[in-house]
Amino acid sequence: MADKAYHDYVFPIEEWPIYKLSNDRENFVNQLREETINRILESEKKNLSETLARVIYLERIRTIENPWKVDPPHELAFWNKLRKQLLENSLDKSEEEALENNKEILTKIVNRYANEIPGRFKIGLFKKARNSLTWFFNRLLSTASNRNLKRFYGPRRNLQERLKINGEVELIQSLAKKGTLVVMPTHFSNLDSILVGWALDSIGLPAFIYGAGLNLYNASIVGYFFNRLGAYKLDRRKKNAIYLKTLKTFSDLAIQRGTHSLFFPGGTRERSGSIEKKLKLGLMGTVTEAQRAHFERGEHDKIFVVPLVICYNFVLEAPKLIDDFLKKEGEELYIMGKRELSLWGLLKFVWQLFSSTSEIQISFGKPLDVMGNFVSKEGVSLDKNGSPIDLKEYFLSNGKVTRDHQRDVQYTKILGEIIVDRFHRENIVLSSHVVAFVAFNLFKARNPHLDLFGLVRLPKEDAIISYKSFWNAVDALKTLLLEYETSERLKLSTMVKGDIKNLLLDGIKNQGIYHSNKPLRFDADQNLVSDNMKLLFYYHNRLTGYDLESQIKWNDF
């Protein structure tokens, strides 16, 4: 954790934007409601009756078929009443009468969503949660490292020994005092939110707002904490136009108020295990909109986007995630076994993570402005040659800052492409990624007649590689990876840059820590064997997207 002085004097907690937003929640909700209604009327005015009918239909279906404990009471009655109002007062009425009734219905719907989405932030609870979680994880780390439950109250070990923070920390700390940060991480595990939150706090940044799935609020104790620690509610059951518009407007207005924000641009956990190649541009677009709004009001406030890459040697949910990916890719070609994640599975994972020597690397990337330009420590946007540029000029038309939806959509698309590129460049390659990539490509080269779904079902007696072949192939890949690091196309962990034997042993050991069926292991003759080709494929995917596979002649090994 950052020291007390840094938190309390550089960023006094009473001045944190998230705290100010929470204190002004009532006014913010009113602003959110009014702005959302105006935006919907601007885009949907001619088709408002159809839009409302569609939203009410979807919400009635959701309420009937997929109700949650956390849902408001009498919810079906609310939507049935709106349905009746729409049918009686909007259809077969004059255009003016229908519009007035539709505005009334729209206001009720938006008001419901606008009160649901924003969370609160309580200073006392935040401090207690920060101290308690840090103490607990440090104790758990000490206990698991000694593999002795009696040592829970023994000598402490530091969480930072296992969770390593890299990258542009000082630059990000500086920019947090000059503008608004929007952190966009990769997403591989349900543990990501906890780890990213810990990392942000540990480098001394104010608390961020972040989305938490509404399903998590079904557990009352979890909901209590989330609702008071800055989380805003995301209900993934609601995919209707009005809810999504309210959610986007919330993000836009919160960022405009200077509230640091965190969201996963991939939208959900990456099922394949690879670094995201396509991002969801919905919430990302609010970053561009908020920056344009600042300039439109004559303000010079800057928004800084921080790509962040989380690097695991092994992933808790990998078996379920790769099953989901293969099922989607193969449809009828792939048969997925039933697999559920239990509480025992989660506890086992945490225990084995802390009791092992496996590291987790958190890589803070170079901050960008909303157009994807790098920025200086003073927050000045820089072109490719490092010369200052005026970001405001991107939003000018005939000398004035203008609203242009198509232009902003294109800017967001460009930003998304740059973030994907930065994810790959800021990625820290770990030993498990290297050994999985090599092994899977060797199996693929030895079975050219098999497609992906044939490879993941490869019989165990065929999933064998000689130690010598494997060593030579790892050596070839390492040489290539060192060249990539020199050209800043990726980063390498200390283990990957070191002795090949240690790299090989560390990678195989880390892959086998949690999974009962090992992606890769040694047999009695020291050959390499895979007991789970699906998981080997999953961990191999971490190094896809770099065109590494085409630059090595796998049949030579």
Side-chain angles (χ1 to χ4, degrees), residues 431-432 434-440 442-443 446 465-477 500 503-505 507-508 511 520 522 526-529 536 554 557:
S431 59
S432 62
V434 173
V435 298
F437 187 80
V438 168
F440 192 83
L442 289 176
F443 287 130
R446 284 158 170 70
I465 306 168
S466 73
Y467 184 81
K468 181 179 179 180
S469 295
F470 191 69
W471 176 291
N472 290 335
V474 169
D475 188 24
L477 178 61
I500 290 183
L503 158 63
L504 193 153
L505 294 175
I508 294 172
Q511 279 194 347
L520 211 58
F522 289 109
Q526 291 300 294
N527 295 314
L528 279 299
V529 179
L536 187 67
W554 301 101
F557 304 105

Side-chain angles (χ1 to χ4, degrees), residues 524-550:
D525 299 320
Q526 291 300 294
N527 295 314
L528 279 299
V529 179
S530 176
D531 295 329
N532 194 324
M533 287 292 293
K534 288 187 297 182
L535 284 178
L536 187 67
F537 173 64
Y538 175 88
Y539 291 114
H540 141 278
N541 286 339
R542 182 66 182 222
L543 285 180
T544 57
Y546 293 98
D547 195 34
L548 291 163
E549 47 273 270
S550 68

